[in-house]
Amino acid sequence: MTHILCRDCCQVFDGPAEICDRCGGGRLLAHPEIASLSIAHIDCDAFYAAVEKRDRPELGDAPLIVGHSGGRGVVVTACYVARTFGVRSAMPMFQALQLCPHATVIQPDMATYKRVSETIRAIFAGATTMVEPLSLDEAYLDLSDEHRLAAASPGATLARIAKRIEEEERITVSIGLSCNKFLAKLACEFAKPRGFSVIGRAEAKALLAPMSVRKIHGVGAVTARRMEASGLNTIADLQALTERELVGRFGKFGGRLARFAHGNDDRSVTPFRPVKSISAETTFGQDTASPGRLREVALGLCERVAKELARKGVAGLSIVLKLKTSDFRVLSRSRRLSHPTQRAGLIFASVAALIDREADGRHFRLIGVGIADLGPAAGADPADLFSLADTPKLQAAKIERAG
Ligand code: TTP
Ligand code: MG
């Protein structure tokens, strides 16, 4: 019996099957090990070009190059249509335009790509705490049981991530799933564009055998030339040598070559240290003692904090109110919630209660709102608490009523 993943409805079922028996979709992925693999590499397809094409629907299927025009300009990336003409990243622009004279050339717009990247990372963070971004458009994810935040299997979770990115950002990604980083990244390369490929433990060695030594992580052009000069062209050539022999030839790196050549890689997925807290503050034009005014300004700050939480894909447990009196004394008061939240309304409910305790006639010159004890957004704001999480508009109405 084979486990089959439907990339359209993101369900896993037992095969064999030609089309999905749940949604009728045809994008099925069958692999005997799919249920037991949990290291993924996700990479956006032609990232900068995909974002530019999304924002310029008039380009349709026309070739697009993102890069710097002019004498010494180079191609940063090209859409897959332009790639069929031979255009590649890092190619001089004049050469790219010789190959594909009718291509549209657009200068990179990093601010937009960073925004898209943040949304994508927030989507990853909803699946696991173990996300290791490699660049704006790619990351490793560890979806093994202890790190997995969703109940679904890694394959189904990954299919859902791809679907969400397509729906929300209207760009496509490719996914590689395997038992370690090296094989997951290799699988992702095979999948491009808009694919999902799996490399199982059992097939890894045979699959690697005919590949160039250049496919091995850490083998750059110089090392590759040195290896090729000594007759080591394919990974099979490395597999034929013992670890001792490889260490003899390449020193410590030889040990690594031996492991990788057999499809082993013990590097773990290491997430960046997450941000500890998110806050926003503002100084009043004129010092105030009015609880209504303090709440009104606090609400705007809560909304800013909530937006930042959403952007980073995190939620927090401790709410902090900071007030500075007109004689520059700083007060910091906090409250702990029963569940992590991302919602402005819930943050504001705590902040408002704290304000009410402090607003005793003193004048304040500054107010700040913060949220700490941050973690991944999944699991935040359980449904039964939604009723407490008033929308900001509702709270605004309450402030107005409070006068
Ligand atoms: P890549 O993921 O390497 O390339 P890509 O996303 O354009 O295409 P692919 O489908 O093959 O993944 O890089 C991500 C972005 O990084 C890319 O869109 C542009 C930028 N980039 C550079 O700035 N310089 C480079 O040399 C490369 C390769 C990419
Ligand atoms: Mg990419």
Side-chain angles (χ1 to χ4, degrees), residues 22-320:
R22 315 236 166 134
C23 76
R27 293 198 309 152
L28 301 185
L29 180 62
H31 193 284
E33 292 185 41
I34 196 165
S36 65
L37 301 169
S38 55
I39 306 295
H41 181 259
I42 308 185
D43 186 284
C44 301
D45 303 322
F47 182 50
Y48 298 179
V51 172
E52 298 297 348
K53 271 205 163 172
R54 167 194 82 177
D55 296 340
R56 291 173 178 74
E58 69 277 10
L59 286 176
D61 286 334
L64 172 71
I65 297 174
V66 177
H68 307 279
S69 35
R72 292 154 60 92
V74 292
V75 173
V76 174
T77 194
C79 72
Y80 275 78
V81 180
R83 291 185 198 192
T84 62
F85 293 85
V87 179
R88 294 286 178 270
S89 292
M91 181 180 269
M93 187 63 81
F94 77 87
Q95 190 187 345
L97 288 173
Q98 275 168 1
L99 292 167
C100 188
H102 58 299
T104 303
V105 178
I106 294 174
Q107 302 270 328
D109 167 12
M110 293 312 295
T112 303
Y113 311 146
K114 280 195 182 127
R115 272 201 303 277
V116 176
S117 174
E118 276 158 11
T119 313
I120 291 169
R121 285 188 191 171
I123 293 174
F124 296 161
T128 171
T129 51
M130 298 293 273
V131 178
E132 180 180 335
L134 294 177
S135 67
L136 284 185
D137 84 324
E138 65 181 313
Y140 287 115
L141 272 64
D142 182 342
L143 292 161
S144 50
D145 284 343
E146 68 266 39
H147 305 301
R148 206 160 73 202
L149 299 169
S153 67
T157 299
L158 291 165
R160 228 168 254 144
I161 287 176
K163 205 170 166 190
R164 263 191 80 184
I165 294 174
E166 282 193 16
E167 284 168 4
E168 292 175 29
E169 284 299 331
R170 288 177 291 120
I171 61 168
T172 63
V173 299
S174 296
I175 295 176
L177 174 63
S178 190
C179 53
N180 62 44
K181 283 171 142 183
F182 169 49
L183 295 176
K185 187 158 186 180
L186 207 58
C188 183
E189 251 177 64
F190 295 152
K192 285 199 158 285
R194 201 181 177 233
F196 189 143
S197 75
V198 178
I199 299 180
R201 288 180 187 83
E203 68 200 319
K205 198 176 157 189
L207 210 107
L208 289 168
M211 291 184 197
S212 157
V213 291
R214 290 169 189 255
K215 286 285 179 202
I216 291 187
H217 178 79
V219 177
V222 177
T223 315
R225 275 199 295 276
R226 198 179 135 204
M227 291 168 82
E228 286 155 6
S230 64
L232 300 173
N233 295 294
T234 63
I235 297 181
D237 297 332
L238 297 177
Q239 289 170 352
L241 299 174
T242 64
E243 181 169 353
R244 239 182 125 93
E245 287 167 320
L246 284 167
V247 171
R249 284 207 208 180
F250 299 99
K252 204 172 152 208
F253 186 60
R256 189 169 165 155
L257 284 177
R259 284 195 296 279
F260 279 33
H262 290 87
N264 299 319
D265 176 7
D266 54 10
R267 292 172 302 153
S268 56
V269 174
T270 349
F272 290 149
R273 201 185 292 261
V275 273
K276 290 222 168 75
S277 67
I278 288 173
S279 61
E281 62 179 43
T282 189
T283 304
F284 296 111
Q286 210 171 13
D287 293 6
T288 183
S290 152
R293 175 82 182 126
L294 289 167
R295 281 168 166 241
E296 181 192 352
V297 175
L299 177 64
L301 297 173
C302 291
E303 285 171 358
R304 264 165 59 191
V305 166
K307 241 186 218 158
E308 194 60 17
L309 286 169
R311 210 170 63 84
K312 292 203 154 81
V314 292
L317 257 181
S318 296
I319 311 296
V320 183

